[in-house]
Amino acid sequence: MPGEILTPQVLLKMKEEFQEYEYEVIERNFTAEVALKLFALKLYFMELEDAKLLWKRLPTSHREAFPELKQLLLVCQAMIGQDFVTIHKILQDTVWSAHIEPIVSLLQEKVREKTLSLVSYAYTHISVQELAAMLSVSTAKLQEIVSSASWTIENGMVMPKATQQDSNLPARKEIVDLASLTRLVSYLEN
């Protein structure tokens, strides 16, 4: 697979191959490097519970062979808690080895896309500093991201445009209705 472009299909095939290694010989020939790649792939495919279970099955020798495994565990825990600041910080601040760096780069991009999708769904406006912290980017990089998403920045606030909605989330109109109801109740209480 050296030199191969990593697409979701290639990553899925890689994950299936590594899972076969895991199932066949978890203790003998399942190397720490394969465990590291499989763990990263499980995170990429958002299989967080499987990643946690893989961590628990790994021998201590594997966990100690690559300190990156511990960093990926921290990423997994942050993903479970949807702590996007921590996820991006760990992914950016850790120096990844050459054999895992391409997968981590794709994971970081996928998490950034998910974060932006959630922001576009949940916020009508968010401060530039807050969104930059959420994505762990500089304000200059944030301006590039915002312009590529066709969002606007006004008075230090980012105005996201709603993207195609996830079917598991309530409709944006319901949120707007809820916001107006909240303002009415707040007005009546005061």
Side-chain angles (χ1 to χ4, degrees), residues 125-189:
H125 60 280
I126 183 171
S127 75
V128 170
Q129 293 80 12
E130 189 176 348
L131 186 57
M134 201 181 274
L135 296 172
S136 191
V137 295
S138 67
T139 53
K141 176 71 174 167
L142 179 66
Q143 288 177 344
E144 290 176 28
I145 293 170
V146 165
S147 65
S148 70
S150 301
W151 296 358
T152 57
I153 299 177
E154 297 174 10
N155 301 326
M157 301 297 282
V158 176
M159 310 297 180
K161 290 185 180 174
T163 57
Q164 192 171 22
Q165 159 174 329
D166 185 350
S167 61
N168 297 332
L169 301 172
R172 190 161 184 99
K173 182 182 179 325
E174 293 172 12
I175 292 176
V176 171
D177 292 343
L178 185 59
S180 62
L181 182 61
T182 303
R183 283 192 297 275
L184 176 63
V185 170
S186 177
Y187 172 76
L188 292 174
E189 287 178 347

Side-chain angles (χ1 to χ4, degrees), residues 3-189:
E4 189 172 16
I5 296 175
L6 295 180
T7 63
Q9 293 82 10
V10 171
L11 291 174
L12 185 59
K13 184 179 176 201
M14 247 167 89
K15 183 183 76 135
E16 289 169 355
E17 288 174 8
F18 291 150
Q19 279 179 324
E20 286 301 316
Y21 294 141
E22 176 191 11
Y23 297 145
E24 289 174 9
V25 282
I26 188 78
E27 293 294 328
R28 292 184 316 205
N29 298 332
F30 188 65
T31 65
E33 185 177 330
V34 170
L36 179 65
K37 286 182 179 180
L38 181 58
F39 198 91
L41 288 167
K42 286 185 182 291
L43 294 181
Y44 176 81
F45 287 104
M46 303 294 174
E47 297 172 358
L48 304 179
E49 294 301 319
D50 288 347
K52 279 181 17 182
L53 293 172
L54 174 62
W55 173 264
K56 290 179 181 182
R57 287 193 309 271
L58 289 177
T60 307
S61 61
H62 283 26
R63 293 180 194 173
E64 292 170 356
F66 288 102
E68 296 164 312
L69 266 170
K70 178 68 174 164
Q71 294 301 99
L72 286 176
L73 176 66
L74 295 174
V75 168
C76 180
Q77 292 168 342
M79 288 173 79
I80 290 169
Q82 293 191 348
D83 182 357
F84 297 110
V85 174
T86 302
I87 295 168
H88 290 294
K89 184 158 180 48
I90 293 170
L91 290 175
Q92 276 186 334
D93 293 350
T94 304
V95 178
W96 303 100
S97 55
H99 62 277
I100 194 72
E101 195 276 328
I103 298 170
V104 171
S105 294
L106 291 171
L107 171 63
Q108 187 171 14
E109 188 58 37
K110 188 171 188 175
V111 170
R112 181 170 285 133
E113 289 171 7
K114 182 173 176 67
T115 304
L116 290 171
S117 174
L118 290 172
V119 166
S120 74
Y121 174 75
Y123 290 85
T124 56
H125 60 280
I126 183 171
S127 75
V128 170
Q129 293 80 12
E130 189 176 348
L131 186 57
M134 201 181 274
L135 296 172
S136 191
V137 295
S138 67
T139 53
K141 176 71 174 167
L142 179 66
Q143 288 177 344
E144 290 176 28
I145 293 170
V146 165
S147 65
S148 70
S150 301
W151 296 358
T152 57
I153 299 177
E154 297 174 10
N155 301 326
M157 301 297 282
V158 176
M159 310 297 180
K161 290 185 180 174
T163 57
Q164 192 171 22
Q165 159 174 329
D166 185 350
S167 61
N168 297 332
L169 301 172
R172 190 161 184 99
K173 182 182 179 325
E174 293 172 12
I175 292 176
V176 171
D177 292 343
L178 185 59
S180 62
L181 182 61
T182 303
R183 283 192 297 275
L184 176 63
V185 170
S186 177
Y187 172 76
L188 292 174
E189 287 178 347

